[in-house]
Amino acid sequence: MEAKDQTDSSDVKQAEGTTVTVSVLDCSFHITCPTEKAESMKEAEKRLNEKLDALKKLAPGFSNEKLAILAALDIYHDLINQELKMSSFVDIVKLRLDELDTLVEDKLKSSS
């Protein structure tokens, strides 16, 4: 993925994929990404702008730089929590599969 400031748009490389324009905090960026990621890039733009709008309401005097940092921290906090939940879920599934494997082995041994 490659990002360029809008003022430097003539230098945007047309690599494999497509170029998506996103606007965040009154700045536009041309981002070259694989075609299959273009839609999710626009969704990311929408969600980031929603988060930034919410933060602006909570801290109206903050600069765009501070808002961006707070948004990044909040997004990564959410990501870490989701990773922890997923890891816990995977551990539970592994435990259940081990229990099932043991049950099947016991049934096979008892039927022999």
Side-chain angles (χ1 to χ4, degrees):
M1 177 172 52
E2 182 179 314
K4 296 276 184 179
D5 190 319
Q6 185 174 12
T7 59
D8 203 18
S9 62
S10 62
D11 294 336
V12 175
K13 292 181 183 176
Q14 290 298 325
E16 289 181 34
T18 189
T19 300
V20 178
T21 302
V22 295
S23 295
V24 177
L25 294 174
D26 301 323
C27 293
S28 292
F29 302 91
H30 299 293
I31 301 172
T32 301
C33 63
T35 304
E36 64 273 9
K37 291 187 177 184
E39 189 175 324
S40 63
M41 187 63 66
K42 294 302 283 183
E43 181 63 24
E45 171 194 28
K46 177 184 167 220
R47 290 183 187 193
L48 178 56
N49 281 318
E50 287 172 354
K51 181 155 304 273
L52 288 165
D53 288 344
L55 288 171
K56 281 181 190 178
K57 289 176 184 170
L58 293 173
F62 279 26
S63 68
N64 283 349
E65 182 180 68
K66 285 184 180 181
L67 289 170
I69 291 168
L70 285 175
L73 286 170
D74 194 40
I75 290 165
Y76 268 97
H77 179 260
D78 290 346
L79 178 63
I80 289 167
N81 284 335
Q82 288 301 318
E83 288 172 347
L84 290 172
K85 286 179 186 177
M86 183 61 74
S87 176
S88 177
F89 177 74
V90 168
D91 290 344
I92 291 169
V93 169
K94 284 180 181 178
L95 180 64
R96 297 288 186 230
L97 286 173
D98 287 344
E99 290 172 355
L100 184 59
D101 187 48
T102 301
L103 182 63
V104 168
E105 286 179 10
D106 288 349
K107 290 292 182 182
L108 288 173
K109 285 178 185 175
S110 68
S111 66
S112 319

PDB file of all heavy atoms in Angstrom, residues 1-29:
ATOM      1  N   MET A   1       0.857  -1.163   0.000  1.00  0.00           N
ATOM      2  CA  MET A   1       0.000   0.000   0.000  1.00  0.00           C
ATOM      3  C   MET A   1       0.900   1.221   0.000  1.00  0.00           C
ATOM      4  O   MET A   1       1.871   1.279   0.718  1.00  0.00           O
ATOM      5  CB  MET A   1      -0.895  -0.038   1.234  1.00  0.00           C
ATOM      6  CG  MET A   1      -1.773   1.141   1.368  1.00  0.00           C
ATOM      7  SD  MET A   1      -2.982   1.025   2.689  1.00  0.00           S
ATOM      8  CE  MET A   1      -2.010   0.614   4.095  1.00  0.00           C
ATOM      9  N   GLU A   2       0.552   2.198  -0.777  1.00  0.00           N
ATOM     10  CA  GLU A   2       1.358   3.397  -0.916  1.00  0.00           C
ATOM     11  C   GLU A   2       0.443   4.598  -0.775  1.00  0.00           C
ATOM     12  O   GLU A   2      -0.619   4.656  -1.369  1.00  0.00           O
ATOM     13  CB  GLU A   2       2.006   3.374  -2.295  1.00  0.00           C
ATOM     14  CG  GLU A   2       2.903   4.517  -2.565  1.00  0.00           C
ATOM     15  CD  GLU A   2       3.525   4.387  -3.940  1.00  0.00           C
ATOM     16  OE1 GLU A   2       4.004   3.300  -4.283  1.00  0.00           O
ATOM     17  OE2 GLU A   2       3.495   5.390  -4.659  1.00  0.00           O
ATOM     18  N   ALA A   3       0.855   5.561   0.031  1.00  0.00           N
ATOM     19  CA  ALA A   3       0.036   6.755   0.220  1.00  0.00           C
ATOM     20  C   ALA A   3       0.804   7.982  -0.240  1.00  0.00           C
ATOM     21  O   ALA A   3       1.996   8.089  -0.011  1.00  0.00           O
ATOM     22  CB  ALA A   3      -0.352   6.907   1.690  1.00  0.00           C
ATOM     23  N   LYS A   4       0.109   8.887  -0.866  1.00  0.00           N
ATOM     24  CA  LYS A   4       0.698  10.152  -1.312  1.00  0.00           C
ATOM     25  C   LYS A   4      -0.253  11.278  -0.954  1.00  0.00           C
ATOM     26  O   LYS A   4      -1.463  11.135  -1.057  1.00  0.00           O
ATOM     27  CB  LYS A   4       0.902  10.169  -2.838  1.00  0.00           C
ATOM     28  CG  LYS A   4       1.878   9.142  -3.345  1.00  0.00           C
ATOM     29  CD  LYS A   4       3.272   9.642  -3.228  1.00  0.00           C
ATOM     30  CE  LYS A   4       4.240   8.634  -3.830  1.00  0.00           C
ATOM     31  NZ  LYS A   4       5.590   9.059  -3.762  1.00  0.00           N
ATOM     32  N   ASP A   5       0.298  12.405  -0.547  1.00  0.00           N
ATOM     33  CA  ASP A   5      -0.492  13.600  -0.294  1.00  0.00           C
ATOM     34  C   ASP A   5      -1.090  14.071  -1.618  1.00  0.00           C
ATOM     35  O   ASP A   5      -0.485  13.913  -2.667  1.00  0.00           O
ATOM     36  CB  ASP A   5       0.432  14.678   0.283  1.00  0.00           C
ATOM     37  CG  ASP A   5      -0.313  15.871   0.817  1.00  0.00           C
ATOM     38  OD1 ASP A   5      -1.295  16.295   0.161  1.00  0.00           O
ATOM     39  OD2 ASP A   5       0.066  16.379   1.875  1.00  0.00           O
ATOM     40  N   GLN A   6      -2.278  14.657  -1.569  1.00  0.00           N
ATOM     41  CA  GLN A   6      -2.969  15.077  -2.784  1.00  0.00           C
ATOM     42  C   GLN A   6      -2.133  16.060  -3.595  1.00  0.00           C
ATOM     43  O   GLN A   6      -2.164  16.055  -4.814  1.00  0.00           O
ATOM     44  CB  GLN A   6      -4.322  15.707  -2.444  1.00  0.00           C
ATOM     45  CG  GLN A   6      -5.126  16.042  -3.694  1.00  0.00           C
ATOM     46  CD  GLN A   6      -6.508  16.536  -3.363  1.00  0.00           C
ATOM     47  OE1 GLN A   6      -6.814  16.844  -2.231  1.00  0.00           O
ATOM     48  NE2 GLN A   6      -7.351  16.604  -4.355  1.00  0.00           N
ATOM     49  N   THR A   7      -1.351  16.897  -2.941  1.00  0.00           N
ATOM     50  CA  THR A   7      -0.554  17.881  -3.666  1.00  0.00           C
ATOM     51  C   THR A   7       0.540  17.225  -4.492  1.00  0.00           C
ATOM     52  O   THR A   7       1.114  17.838  -5.369  1.00  0.00           O
ATOM     53  CB  THR A   7       0.095  18.877  -2.682  1.00  0.00           C
ATOM     54  OG1 THR A   7       0.911  18.150  -1.762  1.00  0.00           O
ATOM     55  CG2 THR A   7      -0.960  19.665  -1.938  1.00  0.00           C
ATOM     56  N   ASP A   8       0.804  15.964  -4.230  1.00  0.00           N
ATOM     57  CA  ASP A   8       1.858  15.228  -4.915  1.00  0.00           C
ATOM     58  C   ASP A   8       1.253  14.138  -5.791  1.00  0.00           C
ATOM     59  O   ASP A   8       1.886  13.132  -6.034  1.00  0.00           O
ATOM     60  CB  ASP A   8       2.785  14.633  -3.853  1.00  0.00           C
ATOM     61  CG  ASP A   8       4.174  14.331  -4.389  1.00  0.00           C
ATOM     62  OD1 ASP A   8       4.559  14.862  -5.438  1.00  0.00           O
ATOM     63  OD2 ASP A   8       4.862  13.549  -3.731  1.00  0.00           O
ATOM     64  N   SER A   9       0.035  14.349  -6.284  1.00  0.00           N
ATOM     65  CA  SER A   9      -0.704  13.305  -6.980  1.00  0.00           C
ATOM     66  C   SER A   9      -0.061  12.876  -8.289  1.00  0.00           C
ATOM     67  O   SER A   9      -0.282  11.770  -8.754  1.00  0.00           O
ATOM     68  CB  SER A   9      -2.147  13.723  -7.223  1.00  0.00           C
ATOM     69  OG  SER A   9      -2.168  14.863  -8.051  1.00  0.00           O
ATOM     70  N   SER A  10       0.747  13.707  -8.901  1.00  0.00           N
ATOM     71  CA  SER A  10       1.375  13.334 -10.169  1.00  0.00           C
ATOM     72  C   SER A  10       2.397  12.227  -9.981  1.00  0.00           C
ATOM     73  O   SER A  10       2.775  11.561 -10.931  1.00  0.00           O
ATOM     74  CB  SER A  10       2.031  14.552 -10.815  1.00  0.00           C
ATOM     75  OG  SER A  10       3.047  15.054  -9.961  1.00  0.00           O
ATOM     76  N   ASP A  11       2.872  12.043  -8.745  1.00  0.00           N
ATOM     77  CA  ASP A  11       3.882  11.025  -8.472  1.00  0.00           C
ATOM     78  C   ASP A  11       3.284   9.691  -8.033  1.00  0.00           C
ATOM     79  O   ASP A  11       4.023   8.768  -7.718  1.00  0.00           O
ATOM     80  CB  ASP A  11       4.835  11.502  -7.381  1.00  0.00           C
ATOM     81  CG  ASP A  11       5.662  12.689  -7.846  1.00  0.00           C
ATOM     82  OD1 ASP A  11       5.832  12.849  -9.070  1.00  0.00           O
ATOM     83  OD2 ASP A  11       6.133  13.447  -6.985  1.00  0.00           O
ATOM     84  N   VAL A  12       1.958   9.584  -7.970  1.00  0.00           N
ATOM     85  CA  VAL A  12       1.328   8.348  -7.522  1.00  0.00           C
ATOM     86  C   VAL A  12       1.610   7.251  -8.540  1.00  0.00           C
ATOM     87  O   VAL A  12       1.319   7.396  -9.720  1.00  0.00           O
ATOM     88  CB  VAL A  12      -0.200   8.513  -7.337  1.00  0.00           C
ATOM     89  CG1 VAL A  12      -0.839   7.189  -6.980  1.00  0.00           C
ATOM     90  CG2 VAL A  12      -0.487   9.535  -6.265  1.00  0.00           C
ATOM     91  N   LYS A  13       2.193   6.178  -8.059  1.00  0.00           N
ATOM     92  CA  LYS A  13       2.514   5.061  -8.948  1.00  0.00           C
ATOM     93  C   LYS A  13       1.261   4.254  -9.233  1.00  0.00           C
ATOM     94  O   LYS A  13       0.479   3.988  -8.349  1.00  0.00           O
ATOM     95  CB  LYS A  13       3.561   4.153  -8.304  1.00  0.00           C
ATOM     96  CG  LYS A  13       4.902   4.788  -8.161  1.00  0.00           C
ATOM     97  CD  LYS A  13       5.876   3.805  -7.536  1.00  0.00           C
ATOM     98  CE  LYS A  13       7.221   4.441  -7.316  1.00  0.00           C
ATOM     99  NZ  LYS A  13       8.149   3.552  -6.634  1.00  0.00           N
ATOM    100  N   GLN A  14       1.108   3.840 -10.459  1.00  0.00           N
ATOM    101  CA  GLN A  14       0.000   2.976 -10.828  1.00  0.00           C
ATOM    102  C   GLN A  14       0.505   1.536 -10.794  1.00  0.00           C
ATOM    103  O   GLN A  14       0.773   0.930 -11.816  1.00  0.00           O
ATOM    104  CB  GLN A  14      -0.535   3.346 -12.217  1.00  0.00           C
ATOM    105  CG  GLN A  14      -1.264   4.663 -12.256  1.00  0.00           C
ATOM    106  CD  GLN A  14      -2.493   4.681 -11.368  1.00  0.00           C
ATOM    107  OE1 GLN A  14      -3.189   3.685 -11.223  1.00  0.00           O
ATOM    108  NE2 GLN A  14      -2.756   5.806 -10.753  1.00  0.00           N
ATOM    109  N   ALA A  15       0.712   1.026  -9.605  1.00  0.00           N
ATOM    110  CA  ALA A  15       1.162  -0.349  -9.430  1.00  0.00           C
ATOM    111  C   ALA A  15      -0.027  -1.270  -9.641  1.00  0.00           C
ATOM    112  O   ALA A  15      -1.101  -0.827 -10.028  1.00  0.00           O
ATOM    113  CB  ALA A  15       1.732  -0.522  -8.025  1.00  0.00           C
ATOM    114  N   GLU A  16       0.191  -2.550  -9.385  1.00  0.00           N
ATOM    115  CA  GLU A  16      -0.923  -3.492  -9.482  1.00  0.00           C
ATOM    116  C   GLU A  16      -2.046  -3.010  -8.583  1.00  0.00           C
ATOM    117  O   GLU A  16      -1.815  -2.635  -7.451  1.00  0.00           O
ATOM    118  CB  GLU A  16      -0.480  -4.881  -9.021  1.00  0.00           C
ATOM    119  CG  GLU A  16       0.454  -5.579  -9.956  1.00  0.00           C
ATOM    120  CD  GLU A  16       0.827  -6.954  -9.437  1.00  0.00           C
ATOM    121  OE1 GLU A  16      -0.021  -7.610  -8.791  1.00  0.00           O
ATOM    122  OE2 GLU A  16       1.957  -7.362  -9.681  1.00  0.00           O
ATOM    123  N   GLY A  17      -3.236  -3.015  -9.082  1.00  0.00           N
ATOM    124  CA  GLY A  17      -4.372  -2.628  -8.267  1.00  0.00           C
ATOM    125  C   GLY A  17      -4.971  -1.316  -8.706  1.00  0.00           C
ATOM    126  O   GLY A  17      -5.010  -0.994  -9.885  1.00  0.00           O
ATOM    127  N   THR A  18      -5.385  -0.555  -7.707  1.00  0.00           N
ATOM    128  CA  THR A  18      -6.110   0.666  -7.988  1.00  0.00           C
ATOM    129  C   THR A  18      -5.690   1.746  -7.013  1.00  0.00           C
ATOM    130  O   THR A  18      -5.120   1.459  -5.966  1.00  0.00           O
ATOM    131  CB  THR A  18      -7.632   0.406  -7.895  1.00  0.00           C
ATOM    132  OG1 THR A  18      -8.317   1.545  -8.369  1.00  0.00           O
ATOM    133  CG2 THR A  18      -8.072   0.085  -6.480  1.00  0.00           C
ATOM    134  N   THR A  19      -5.992   2.979  -7.359  1.00  0.00           N
ATOM    135  CA  THR A  19      -5.712   4.094  -6.470  1.00  0.00           C
ATOM    136  C   THR A  19      -7.029   4.580  -5.888  1.00  0.00           C
ATOM    137  O   THR A  19      -7.973   4.861  -6.619  1.00  0.00           O
ATOM    138  CB  THR A  19      -5.002   5.243  -7.215  1.00  0.00           C
ATOM    139  OG1 THR A  19      -3.776   4.747  -7.742  1.00  0.00           O
ATOM    140  CG2 THR A  19      -4.727   6.406  -6.294  1.00  0.00           C
ATOM    141  N   VAL A  20      -7.076   4.662  -4.570  1.00  0.00           N
ATOM    142  CA  VAL A  20      -8.266   5.089  -3.843  1.00  0.00           C
ATOM    143  C   VAL A  20      -7.950   6.428  -3.194  1.00  0.00           C
ATOM    144  O   VAL A  20      -6.868   6.613  -2.634  1.00  0.00           O
ATOM    145  CB  VAL A  20      -8.641   4.058  -2.757  1.00  0.00           C
ATOM    146  CG1 VAL A  20      -9.839   4.511  -1.956  1.00  0.00           C
ATOM    147  CG2 VAL A  20      -8.881   2.698  -3.367  1.00  0.00           C
ATOM    148  N   THR A  21      -8.874   7.362  -3.289  1.00  0.00           N
ATOM    149  CA  THR A  21      -8.704   8.648  -2.616  1.00  0.00           C
ATOM    150  C   THR A  21      -9.500   8.619  -1.323  1.00  0.00           C
ATOM    151  O   THR A  21     -10.693   8.316  -1.327  1.00  0.00           O
ATOM    152  CB  THR A  21      -9.178   9.806  -3.513  1.00  0.00           C
ATOM    153  OG1 THR A  21      -8.434   9.770  -4.726  1.00  0.00           O
ATOM    154  CG2 THR A  21      -8.984  11.142  -2.830  1.00  0.00           C
ATOM    155  N   VAL A  22      -8.808   8.911  -0.224  1.00  0.00           N
ATOM    156  CA  VAL A  22      -9.477   8.982   1.076  1.00  0.00           C
ATOM    157  C   VAL A  22      -9.227  10.362   1.672  1.00  0.00           C
ATOM    158  O   VAL A  22      -8.182  10.962   1.443  1.00  0.00           O
ATOM    159  CB  VAL A  22      -8.991   7.878   2.052  1.00  0.00           C
ATOM    160  CG1 VAL A  22      -9.354   6.501   1.546  1.00  0.00           C
ATOM    161  CG2 VAL A  22      -7.507   7.964   2.306  1.00  0.00           C
ATOM    162  N   SER A  23     -10.205  10.845   2.412  1.00  0.00           N
ATOM    163  CA  SER A  23     -10.090  12.143   3.071  1.00  0.00           C
ATOM    164  C   SER A  23     -10.267  11.949   4.569  1.00  0.00           C
ATOM    165  O   SER A  23     -11.266  11.372   5.018  1.00  0.00           O
ATOM    166  CB  SER A  23     -11.156  13.106   2.554  1.00  0.00           C
ATOM    167  OG  SER A  23     -10.932  13.375   1.193  1.00  0.00           O
ATOM    168  N   VAL A  24      -9.283  12.426   5.306  1.00  0.00           N
ATOM    169  CA  VAL A  24      -9.296  12.324   6.762  1.00  0.00           C
ATOM    170  C   VAL A  24      -8.790  13.649   7.325  1.00  0.00           C
ATOM    171  O   VAL A  24      -7.741  14.143   6.903  1.00  0.00           O
ATOM    172  CB  VAL A  24      -8.399  11.154   7.252  1.00  0.00           C
ATOM    173  CG1 VAL A  24      -8.360  11.094   8.769  1.00  0.00           C
ATOM    174  CG2 VAL A  24      -8.853   9.834   6.664  1.00  0.00           C
ATOM    175  N   LEU A  25      -9.536  14.222   8.240  1.00  0.00           N
ATOM    176  CA  LEU A  25      -9.157  15.484   8.871  1.00  0.00           C
ATOM    177  C   LEU A  25      -8.798  16.550   7.831  1.00  0.00           C
ATOM    178  O   LEU A  25      -7.772  17.204   7.907  1.00  0.00           O
ATOM    179  CB  LEU A  25      -7.986  15.272   9.842  1.00  0.00           C
ATOM    180  CG  LEU A  25      -8.294  14.423  11.073  1.00  0.00           C
ATOM    181  CD1 LEU A  25      -7.019  14.170  11.866  1.00  0.00           C
ATOM    182  CD2 LEU A  25      -9.341  15.081  11.954  1.00  0.00           C
ATOM    183  N   ASP A  26      -9.652  16.692   6.869  1.00  0.00           N
ATOM    184  CA  ASP A  26      -9.497  17.702   5.815  1.00  0.00           C
ATOM    185  C   ASP A  26      -8.246  17.517   4.960  1.00  0.00           C
ATOM    186  O   ASP A  26      -7.794  18.456   4.313  1.00  0.00           O
ATOM    187  CB  ASP A  26      -9.517  19.122   6.406  1.00  0.00           C
ATOM    188  CG  ASP A  26     -10.816  19.414   7.148  1.00  0.00           C
ATOM    189  OD1 ASP A  26     -11.875  18.949   6.669  1.00  0.00           O
ATOM    190  OD2 ASP A  26     -10.777  20.094   8.191  1.00  0.00           O
ATOM    191  N   CYS A  27      -7.674  16.330   4.957  1.00  0.00           N
ATOM    192  CA  CYS A  27      -6.533  16.014   4.095  1.00  0.00           C
ATOM    193  C   CYS A  27      -6.939  14.864   3.186  1.00  0.00           C
ATOM    194  O   CYS A  27      -7.559  13.901   3.639  1.00  0.00           O
ATOM    195  CB  CYS A  27      -5.325  15.582   4.918  1.00  0.00           C
ATOM    196  SG  CYS A  27      -4.638  16.887   5.934  1.00  0.00           S
ATOM    197  N   SER A  28      -6.603  14.986   1.922  1.00  0.00           N
ATOM    198  CA  SER A  28      -6.901  13.907   0.975  1.00  0.00           C
ATOM    199  C   SER A  28      -5.621  13.164   0.643  1.00  0.00           C
ATOM    200  O   SER A  28      -4.551  13.762   0.513  1.00  0.00           O
ATOM    201  CB  SER A  28      -7.501  14.466  -0.308  1.00  0.00           C
ATOM    202  OG  SER A  28      -8.783  14.989  -0.053  1.00  0.00           O
ATOM    203  N   PHE A  29      -5.753  11.845   0.512  1.00  0.00           N
ATOM    204  CA  PHE A  29      -4.628  10.989   0.198  1.00  0.00           C
ATOM    205  C   PHE A  29      -5.023  10.052  -0.935  1.00  0.00           C
ATOM    206  O   PHE A  29      -6.137   9.540  -0.955  1.00  0.00           O
ATOM    207  CB  PHE A  29      -4.223  10.137   1.414  1.00  0.00           C
ATOM    208  CG  PHE A  29      -3.873  10.947   2.621  1.00  0.00           C
ATOM    209  CD1 PHE A  29      -4.837  11.292   3.560  1.00  0.00           C
ATOM    210  CD2 PHE A  29      -2.568  11.373   2.828  1.00  0.00           C
ATOM    211  CE1 PHE A  29      -4.512  12.040   4.680  1.00  0.00           C
ATOM    212  CE2 PHE A  29      -2.242  12.126   3.949  1.00  0.00           C
ATOM    213  CZ  PHE A  29      -3.205  12.459   4.880  1.00  0.00           C
TER     214      PHE A  29
END
